[in-house]
Amino acid sequence: MKKKTNEELQALVNKATAGDKKALETLVASVQDIVFNLSLRMLGTFADAEDATQDILLKMITHLSSFRGDSSFTTWVFSIAANHLKNYKKHMFARYPLSFEYYGDDIENGKVQDVPDLTQNVEKDVLAEELKMSCTNVMLQCLDMESRCIFILGTMFKIDSRIAGDILEMTPEAFRQRLSRIRRKMADFLGQYCGEYGGGRCKCKDRVNYAIQSHRINPLQLDYTAATEISIQTMLDVKNAMEDIDDLSQDFSFCKPYQSPERTKHLIQEFLDSTQFSIIQNS
């Protein structure tokens, strides 16, 4: 992601809609990581996030001429992404929804000691870290779609409540109130059950084999371990508006951002290489 001002982004939009392919590529590069990270947190798995990211970026490209500059370009992209993801039905957790009650019961009653060694010679510490990142991301799936989006926009992206309210079509006050309640709910769950981020007894290293047996992680496909992490500040630099957050923010340090996968970048580039710019100009 490259930090660009609204003026620079608006100039790129104008060039892209006039047929400048390089400008369009720069626009896509400026937002693809935030779209991927929003998709990953909303949908819970790398595979589903990659598919949704492609859909959102293609939607952005083909609707680019409808951008009028009434909001920042990044806010416009967030709106497209949030609306797409809130109605997304193709991801795994749409078919197998989770709840905090189910997740908590599994932590309390899962027969972790009854599972044989399934690590396939992968270091247990590596698998434990993969499970930690996966588990805390999947935990977000216990929230309903809108609550999940509120939490991610307010906690991970730290978007100003006025802008977040515009994205989600609610007042800034309603956004702040709901964000506060959702943060408390998440913090309470972590405090009760999680031994990594709270005071609970659940330790990732103890549950590695159980997680493999349950198909929650795969020793031969470690998505989080393989992903390239980027700094929180880099993520924040792609937007203009920020707000201070309350002291619960430290409880959610698991919301690490990642670069969008190379496969996604290649597929988007293939589209850019093949598309006729009249699609963008006439959309």
Side-chain angles (χ1 to χ4, degrees), residues 22-269:
K22 186 65 176 177
L24 182 58
E25 290 174 343
T26 303
L27 280 174
V28 171
S30 73
V31 297
Q32 61 189 7
D33 286 346
I34 60 172
V35 170
F36 174 73
N37 279 277
L38 179 60
S39 299
L40 178 61
R41 300 304 172 184
M42 285 291 288
L43 304 180
T45 70
F46 269 72
D48 287 330
E50 286 184 62
D51 290 342
T53 297
Q54 292 167 39
D55 292 345
I56 292 164
L57 291 176
L58 294 179
K59 185 176 289 188
M60 181 201 86
I61 291 168
T62 54
H63 289 78
L64 193 58
S65 61
S66 69
F67 176 67
R68 299 289 180 248
D70 297 330
S71 62
S72 75
F73 179 71
T74 307
T75 299
W76 181 72
V77 173
F78 265 118
S79 296
I80 291 174
N83 286 326
H84 184 83
L85 291 165
K86 284 194 298 180
N87 297 301
Y88 199 74
K89 304 299 183 185
K90 296 185 290 184
H91 65 295
M92 182 177 72
F93 291 105
R95 299 189 298 273
Y96 306 103
L98 290 180
S99 67
F100 285 113
E101 292 75 20
Y102 174 87
Y103 218 36
D105 181 71
D106 185 66
I107 289 171
E108 291 288 345
N109 301 309
K111 306 295 185 182
V112 298
Q113 305 302 327
D114 297 342
V115 184
D117 181 11
L118 301 173
T119 57
Q120 302 187 58
N121 297 318
V122 179
E123 289 186 18
K124 204 166 188 178
D125 286 342
V126 172
L127 294 171
E129 183 64 20
E130 179 78 8
L131 177 58
K132 181 169 68 174
M133 293 298 99
S134 173
C135 180
T136 47
N137 193 34
V138 170
M139 184 178 63
L140 296 175
Q141 308 308 306
C142 296
L143 297 168
D144 64 78
M145 274 292 201
E146 186 167 74
S147 295
R148 198 180 314 156
C149 198
I150 289 170
F151 179 83
I152 295 164
L153 293 180
T155 301
M156 183 176 186
F157 291 100
K158 302 178 178 64
I159 290 179
D160 182 274
S161 58
R162 294 166 300 167
I163 294 175
D166 286 342
I167 292 170
L168 298 175
E169 300 181 340
M170 63 178 63
T171 66
E173 293 77 14
F175 176 82
R176 288 195 296 268
Q177 290 172 3
R178 289 195 60 182
L179 176 60
S180 179
R181 291 197 296 269
I182 296 163
R183 279 185 182 149
R184 174 53 61 191
K185 189 172 186 177
M186 292 287 288
D188 287 348
F189 186 85
L190 285 169
Q192 180 177 357
Y193 292 105
C194 181
E196 304 291 340
Y197 295 104
R201 69 176 189 176
C202 184
K203 297 289 186 181
C204 293
K205 198 168 184 178
D206 297 336
R207 294 177 66 88
V208 162
N209 289 309
Y210 181 76
I212 296 170
Q213 183 186 64
S214 305
H215 306 291
R216 295 179 184 176
I217 60 172
N218 179 352
L220 303 181
Q221 185 179 333
L222 301 179
D223 290 325
Y224 291 91
T225 302
T228 301
E229 189 176 332
I230 56 181
S231 72
I232 293 292
Q233 190 56 48
T234 299
M235 180 65 73
L236 297 178
D237 279 347
V238 302
K239 65 181 187 60
N240 299 316
M242 294 178 61
E243 63 177 340
D244 291 331
I245 57 176
D246 57 34
D247 58 5
L248 285 178
S249 61
Q250 63 184 0
D251 292 336
F252 308 119
S253 58
F254 58 80
C255 288
K256 296 180 180 180
Y258 302 96
Q259 287 185 8
S260 55
E262 287 299 318
R263 188 175 75 92
T264 300
K265 296 176 184 178
H266 290 322
L267 289 171
I268 294 298
Q269 189 60 53

